[in-house]
């Protein structure tokens, strides 16, 4: 594992990290088929949140989720796939940005070449804000 380097600007007050230096939380919890790295705390974010996910080819997330408080924006930075948003399934490709309201159940699957995502939202504004449903999207 790469060592996390966090750089703070003395005058400008910025924080810089390399997302790939962050711990892969999927691996930490024994999840296979994807990477999940969360940058909110390392970047010292107070009003927003950020994450990175990389899904292996044809990998589907094993659960759907929605939030009680926060909306999210997913940006596909490479590859392609599909998102299921409540009862609607949409195709996505590199550089598509999808805003998902707080109370919309969501899940996604990578296409044949995999998919990389940047995810933007709010910080944990409320404990247990996310509602998870295992196996929510199955064919």
């Amino acid at each position: 594992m790469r060592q996390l380097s966090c750089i703070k600007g003395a005058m400008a007050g910025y924080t810089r990290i390399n997302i790939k230096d962050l711990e892969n939380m999927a691996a930490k919890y024994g999840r296979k088929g994807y990477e999940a790295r969360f940058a909110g705390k390392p970047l010292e974010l107070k009003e927003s949140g950020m994450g990175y996910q990389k899904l292996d080819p044809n990998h589907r997330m094993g659960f759907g989720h929605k939030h009680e408080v926060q909306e999210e924006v997913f940006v596909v930075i490479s590859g392609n796939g599909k998102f299921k948003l409540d009862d609607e399934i949409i195709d996505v490709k590199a550089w598509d940005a999808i805003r998902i309201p707080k109370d919309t159940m969501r899940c996604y699957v990578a296409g044949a070449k995999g998919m990389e995502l940047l995810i933007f939202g709010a910080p944990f504004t409320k404990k247990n804000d996310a509602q998870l449903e295992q196996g929510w999207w199955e064919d």
Side-chain angles (χ1 to χ4, degrees):
M1 183 170 95
R2 294 163 52 174
Q3 184 174 357
L4 176 63
S5 62
C6 181
I7 298 172
K8 298 179 183 186
M11 303 271 299
Y14 67 87
T15 306
R16 183 183 80 196
I17 61 165
N18 186 298
I19 292 170
K20 288 295 219 168
D21 289 342
L22 300 173
E23 184 173 12
N24 179 359
M25 300 306 284
K28 177 179 179 177
Y29 291 103
R31 302 278 185 153
K32 298 193 184 310
Y34 71 104
E35 292 178 39
R37 302 173 192 276
F38 300 101
K41 286 183 181 178
L43 280 172
E44 302 174 318
L45 298 176
K46 305 217 181 343
E47 303 296 325
S48 59
M50 182 193 171
Y52 164 83
Q53 291 188 350
K54 181 179 181 183
L55 283 71
D56 291 348
N58 303 309
H59 179 78
R60 182 185 317 239
M61 296 301 291
F63 58 89
H65 82 281
K66 64 182 177 178
H67 294 279
E68 186 177 326
V69 176
Q70 67 173 305
E71 68 180 354
E72 293 178 313
V73 175
F74 289 73
V75 179
V76 180
I77 57 174
S78 73
N80 69 328
K82 295 180 183 294
F83 272 67
K84 183 173 182 184
L85 307 170
D86 285 336
D87 294 326
E88 185 174 352
I89 297 173
I90 61 171
D91 292 315
V92 296
K93 64 184 184 322
W95 302 114
D96 283 348
I98 307 100
R99 180 195 60 83
I100 304 174
K102 63 182 180 182
D103 54 356
T104 298
M105 186 66 82
R106 68 212 64 177
C107 190
Y108 35 97
V109 59
K113 294 183 180 180
M115 182 167 61
E116 286 184 283
L117 303 163
L118 289 178
I119 305 161
F120 302 91
F124 288 110
T125 53
K126 177 182 175 194
K127 190 172 183 166
N128 300 321
D129 175 52
Q131 299 170 17
L132 303 177
E133 190 174 326
Q134 295 295 326
W136 177 72
W137 181 14
E138 296 181 357
D139 291 331

